[in-house]
């Protein structure tokens, strides 16, 4: 009897000292609070479990691609590759940030989130029929630590231990932050790590782009590729996960086809003549006037505006503060005052868009009014390093064209203030040109990839001429554009930052000092601010939803007062046009419509 007692005591001691082993395995993880769905849920609430299978969904899209490998820096991957690869857990799009079982059917999280253990579903299979194992998970971690996109390398660097007790179990432990806290988002980020087949990559270079279809485990596989022009996916008939509650009612089409066009207007015409089944419309002018035709008038094409509650991308003309000309905050603020964006909104966008005044627009995460509560508490330690106005004045955009600003008179007042700020920064107008003390002209280039963006960029450039500033607009192809962004080889660009309702580690990738010097990162503005670093780092450590919202609003306010971009516009709704043979569920989730739950009749 002595040996069983000793083993029992040893097991109890192990459970007491390893919090990741002490809890009860669950069917998912919520970032804050509890999961909305119980262990016995049968499908997500925003799908139609009885949706028929079959048919083809085609999309006419713009751009190009040169790779089928979406998990490295190099290359431009084809759209839809996410349907080929799977993760240990998958998101519910009706909750701010909750994950449920996919490749892993159970997950065990330490109380302090310092470790997580995943149990791999024994049914999980690669497309060649071989099982998904813990060895594949460990390989995926190491491959993406070495060669993955910068954001993934940043996240996975926090893994201090990775082990596989058996073929179906994998455990990760995480480093603490410099202040001793644990990044509470890490278990969820590991759940969202794309998993690759170790056997497939034997003898292949993970770091290289490829047009060879990569072995996956997802609901679709690549069926045909015409590089840069077309990619076709086919539904995997014996897909291992088709009956999972996180997959029921989804991935209903037999084929997904993406046809690439260089020009979006051509892509729209292709959709209107039936060469596409669905189109997400981001151009208000096209939405207002571009869809008229027999198919719309007789009901074969249906247009819908579907509201959502997610943060919209924070789109703007982004300053590269690595450039000396934009290093001074007074200069950046001045350039944001020179344009009549009210006129642009009315005349170029038909009044269908809202001017963006947040890095998290259209959501509860946006800073508003004056800081208070959890937000003020997050800002207070940095009061001495922040502009005094941040605490006493709500952030507002320059008002240039409406009645309150007096129309053109308001714009003239803004430009006078802009000129005053430029003079404070050492710039003077000489012979109609704005120059510095050494006689160098204030001139820069606005880098674009989409000709449709030229209207706004050219209007912005023209508005700077009265200040003596020369802004040149240059549009390049998508491959060159991405390469220049990756190397921060631009003065200003029109781009965006996108966030979920539960921001976390990616905020350091967007705005953190370390990312500012990391090739390929999304810190396009080159932000290097210890306050931004501290606030961005604190978000993932929030233990309640209220604390997270307050810290995100604090970061939003600091970024706004840093004037790192000239904000543009966003839409509070999703504008979708579809042919009437394509149907969607009755329920639209929190994050907006999800195409994978639609079906063809």
């Amino acid at each position: 009897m002595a040996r069983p007692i000793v083993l029992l005591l040893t097991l109890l001691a192990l459970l007491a000292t390893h919090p990741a082993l002490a809890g009860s395995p669950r069917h998912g993880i919520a970032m804050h609070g509890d999961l909305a769905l119980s262990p016995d849920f049968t499908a997500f609430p925003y799908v139609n479990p009885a949706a028929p299978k079959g048919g083809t969904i085609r999309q006419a899209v713009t751009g190009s691609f040169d790779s089928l490998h979406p998990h490295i820096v190099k290359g431009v991957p084809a759209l839809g590759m996410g349907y080929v690869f799977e993760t240990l857990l998958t998101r519910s799009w009706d909750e701010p940030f909750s994950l449920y079982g996919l490749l892993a059917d159970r997950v065990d999280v330490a109380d302090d989130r310092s470790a997580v253990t995943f149990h791999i579903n024994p049914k999980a299979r690669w497309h060649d029929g071989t099982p998904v194992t813990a060895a594949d998970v460990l390989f995926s971690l190491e491959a993406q630590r070495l060669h993955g996109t910068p954001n993934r390398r940043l996240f996975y660097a926090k893994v201090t231990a990775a082990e596989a007790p058996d073929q179906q179990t994998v455990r990760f432990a995480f480093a603490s932050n410099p202040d001793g806290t644990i990044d509470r988002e890490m278990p969820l980020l590991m759940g969202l790590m794309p998993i690759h087949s170790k056997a497939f990559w034997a003898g292949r270079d993970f770091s290289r782009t490829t047009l060879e279809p990569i072995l996956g485990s997802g609901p679709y596989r690549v069926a045909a590729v015409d590089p840069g022009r077309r990619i076709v996916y086919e539904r995997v008939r014996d897909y291992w996960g088709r009956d999972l509650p996180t997959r029921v009612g989804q991935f209903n089409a037999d084929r997904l086809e993406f046809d690439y066009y260089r020009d979006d207007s051509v892509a729209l015409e292709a959709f209107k003549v039936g060469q596409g089944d669905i189109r997400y419309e981001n151009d208000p002018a096209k939405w207002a006037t571009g869809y008229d035709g027999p198919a719309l008038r007789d009901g074969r094409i249906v247009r819908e505006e579907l509201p959502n509650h997610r943060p919209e991308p924070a789109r703007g003309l982004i300053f590269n503060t690595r450039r000396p000309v934009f290093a001074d905050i007074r200069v950046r603020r001045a350039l944001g005052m020179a344009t009549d964006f009210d006129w642009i909104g009315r005349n170029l966008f038909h009044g269908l868009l809202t001017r963006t005044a947040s890095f998290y627009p259209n959501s509860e995460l946006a800073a508003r009014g004056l800081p208070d509560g959890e937000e003020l508490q997050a800002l207070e330690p940095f009061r001495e390093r922040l502009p005094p106005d941040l605490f006493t004045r709500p952030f507002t955009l320059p008002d240039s064209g409406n009645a309150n600003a007096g129309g053109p008179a308001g714009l003239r007042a803004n430009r006078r203030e802009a000129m005053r700020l430029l003079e404070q920064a050492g710039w003077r107008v000489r012979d109609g040109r704005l120059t510095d003390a050494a006689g160098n002209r204030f001139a820069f280039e606005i880098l674009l990839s989409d000709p449709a963006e030229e209207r706004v960029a050219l209007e912005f450039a023209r508005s700077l001429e009265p200040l003596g500033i020369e802004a040149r607009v240059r549009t390049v192809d998508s491959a060159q554009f991405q390469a220049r962004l990756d190397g921060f080889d631009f003065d200003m660009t029109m781009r965006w930052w996108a966030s979920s309702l539960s921001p976390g580690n990616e905020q350091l990738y967007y705005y953190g000092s370390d990312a500012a010097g990391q090739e390929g990162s999304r810190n396009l503005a080159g932000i290097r601010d210890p306050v931004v670093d501290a606030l961005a780092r604190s978000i993932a450590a929030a233990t309640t939803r209220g604390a997270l919202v307050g810290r995100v609003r604090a970061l939003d306010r600091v970024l706004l007062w840093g004037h790192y971009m000239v904000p543009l516009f966003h839409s509070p709704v999703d504008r979708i046009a579809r042919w009437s043979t394509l149907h969607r569920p009755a329920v639209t989730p929190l994050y907006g419509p999800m195409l994978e739950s639609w079906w063809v009749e």
Side-chain angles (χ1 to χ4, degrees):
M1 290 292 291
R3 184 172 177 80
I5 292 174
V6 170
L7 289 174
L8 178 59
L9 292 174
T10 301
L11 178 60
L12 291 174
L14 184 64
L15 290 171
T17 56
H18 289 76
L21 301 176
S24 299
R26 301 199 62 199
H27 62 298
I29 317 173
M31 183 62 192
H32 299 106
D34 206 356
L35 295 164
L37 303 177
S38 63
D40 60 352
F41 84 99
T42 57
F44 285 132
Y46 50 85
V47 307
N48 173 13
K53 303 290 185 183
T56 298
I57 296 179
R58 301 161 300 165
Q59 293 189 61
V61 299
T62 55
S64 182
F65 69 93
D66 59 12
S67 178
L68 302 183
H69 193 350
H71 302 136
I72 57 174
V73 174
K74 298 176 183 176
V76 179
L79 291 173
M81 288 306 300
Y83 298 134
V84 174
F85 301 98
E86 292 188 307
T87 51
L88 293 167
L89 305 176
T90 188
R91 291 189 75 143
S92 164
W93 294 109
D94 212 28
E95 301 173 52
F97 194 11
S98 292
L99 307 183
Y100 295 85
L102 186 53
L103 287 174
D105 57 4
R106 298 193 305 278
V107 57
D108 192 358
V109 185
D111 290 340
D112 64 355
R113 301 215 175 180
S114 62
V116 62
T117 301
F118 297 96
H119 182 270
I120 298 171
N121 192 321
K123 297 179 181 179
R125 292 290 186 272
W126 298 106
H127 291 158
D128 63 1
T130 57
V132 178
T133 68
D136 297 317
V137 178
L138 295 182
F139 164 78
S140 300
L141 172 64
E142 289 308 310
Q144 292 176 83
R145 268 178 160 177
L146 292 173
H147 308 298
T149 54
N151 60 329
R152 292 195 173 97
R153 294 203 301 267
L154 181 71
F155 305 156
Y156 303 151
K158 297 184 179 183
V159 178
T160 57
E163 57 187 11
D166 57 56
Q167 285 296 299
Q168 302 302 127
T169 308
V170 62
R171 180 180 184 274
F172 302 108
F174 310 118
S176 58
N177 293 320
D179 60 1
T181 60
I182 294 293
D183 186 339
R184 296 180 56 81
E185 193 180 31
M186 282 306 298
L188 289 88
L189 294 177
M190 300 312 297
L192 291 176
M193 179 175 67
I195 306 303
H196 283 262
S197 166
K198 180 179 180 180
F200 174 85
W201 285 105
R204 293 180 172 91
D205 187 348
F206 192 91
S207 69
R208 296 173 63 89
T209 61
T210 181
L211 289 169
E212 174 192 10
I214 300 172
L215 182 65
S217 64
Y220 290 94
R221 60 163 61 95
V222 175
V225 181
D226 183 358
R229 297 181 178 180
R230 189 169 189 259
I231 185 164
V232 179
Y233 302 90
E234 61 183 5
R235 186 160 57 86
V236 178
R237 296 290 177 176
D238 57 350
Y239 170 50
W240 75 272
R242 61 184 177 274
D243 296 324
L244 292 176
T246 53
R247 287 300 194 235
V248 167
Q250 301 178 70
F251 311 109
N252 302 309
D254 284 344
R255 288 167 66 88
L256 304 175
E257 299 180 3
F258 294 86
D259 290 305
Y260 282 77
Y261 294 83
R262 298 289 182 178
D263 185 274
D264 188 63
S265 295
V266 178
L268 172 58
E269 294 304 314
F271 167 79
K272 288 167 60 178
V273 298
Q275 295 178 19
D277 298 297
I278 185 170
R279 176 178 165 88
Y280 291 82
E281 186 55 76
N282 296 314
D283 186 336
K286 288 188 175 77
W287 185 257
T289 63
Y291 286 81
D292 189 34
L296 181 66
R297 289 193 289 270
D298 64 22
R300 285 176 294 152
I301 288 180
V302 179
R303 294 192 309 162
E304 297 179 297
E305 293 187 348
L306 302 175
N308 66 73
H309 302 283
R310 66 177 183 265
E312 284 299 300
R315 180 183 293 273
L317 290 157
I318 299 173
F319 298 102
N320 184 356
T321 63
R322 302 170 188 86
R323 298 288 204 251
V325 70
F326 293 137
D328 193 313
I329 189 174
R330 293 169 295 188
V331 169
R332 303 195 299 270
R333 183 183 168 200
L335 267 61
M337 303 180 73
T339 305
D340 189 346
F341 283 103
D342 295 300
W343 183 92
I344 290 176
R346 291 191 307 271
N347 291 275
L348 300 187
F349 300 134
H350 296 260
L352 295 175
L353 299 185
T354 300
R355 183 84 192 277
T356 297
S358 169
F359 282 73
Y360 311 90
N362 193 51
S363 77
E364 65 171 338
L365 303 174
R368 59 203 71 190
L370 295 177
D372 60 6
E374 297 270 12
E375 181 189 352
L376 182 59
Q377 184 178 335
L379 290 168
E380 198 62 52
F382 311 106
R383 182 179 284 270
E384 298 304 316
R385 299 192 226 173
L386 294 170
D389 285 350
L390 181 148
F391 293 93
T392 60
R393 257 194 326 119
F395 180 88
T396 57
L397 296 171
D399 195 352
S400 56
N402 64 25
N404 292 334
L411 180 60
R412 287 195 294 270
N414 288 341
R415 286 178 174 166
R416 285 196 297 270
E417 176 63 13
M419 198 69 247
R420 185 185 69 81
L421 291 168
L422 291 167
E423 289 175 354
Q424 284 183 358
W427 295 90
R428 297 288 186 277
V429 176
R430 298 178 178 88
D431 299 324
R433 297 184 175 189
L434 192 67
T435 61
D436 62 15
N440 300 307
R441 185 173 187 186
F442 196 130
F444 65 95
E445 179 183 88
I446 305 172
L447 182 69
L448 308 176
S449 67
D450 186 349
E453 296 172 338
E454 292 177 356
R455 295 177 304 162
V456 173
L458 288 169
E459 189 62 36
F460 176 72
R462 281 192 290 270
S463 71
L464 300 180
E465 292 174 359
L467 301 178
I469 297 173
E470 179 188 7
R472 304 176 302 277
V473 176
R474 184 180 181 190
T475 304
V476 299
D477 64 69
S478 58
Q480 182 182 355
F481 179 75
Q482 191 60 53
R484 289 188 61 178
L485 288 191
D486 289 344
F488 308 125
D489 181 21
F490 64 93
D491 301 325
M492 171 181 276
T493 188
M494 190 182 296
R495 206 62 174 158
W496 66 88
W497 288 285
S499 294
S500 72
L501 281 166
S502 184
N505 283 276
E506 79 283 352
Q507 303 302 298
L508 286 167
Y509 176 58
Y510 291 171
Y511 315 119
S513 297
D514 290 344
Q518 189 175 26
E519 182 176 334
S521 87
R522 291 299 306 277
N523 189 346
L524 300 175
I527 301 169
R528 294 180 183 270
D529 183 344
V531 176
V532 169
D533 293 343
L535 290 172
R537 190 175 295 111
S538 74
I539 290 170
T543 58
T544 66
R545 180 70 185 170
L548 178 134
V549 171
R551 294 174 190 187
V552 175
R553 288 180 178 176
L555 176 61
D556 187 28
R557 197 177 300 271
V558 171
L559 291 171
L560 289 169
W561 282 90
H563 296 280
Y564 296 108
M565 71 172 175
V566 178
L568 295 177
F569 300 85
H570 69 274
S571 173
V573 297
D574 289 300
R575 294 184 173 91
I576 298 177
R578 59 178 171 88
W579 283 77
S580 59
T581 52
L582 187 61
H583 297 265
R584 63 178 179 84
V587 176
T588 299
L590 189 69
Y591 276 89
M594 309 307 299
L595 181 59
E596 51 263 42
S597 67
W598 294 31
W599 65 92
V600 179
E601 285 187 358

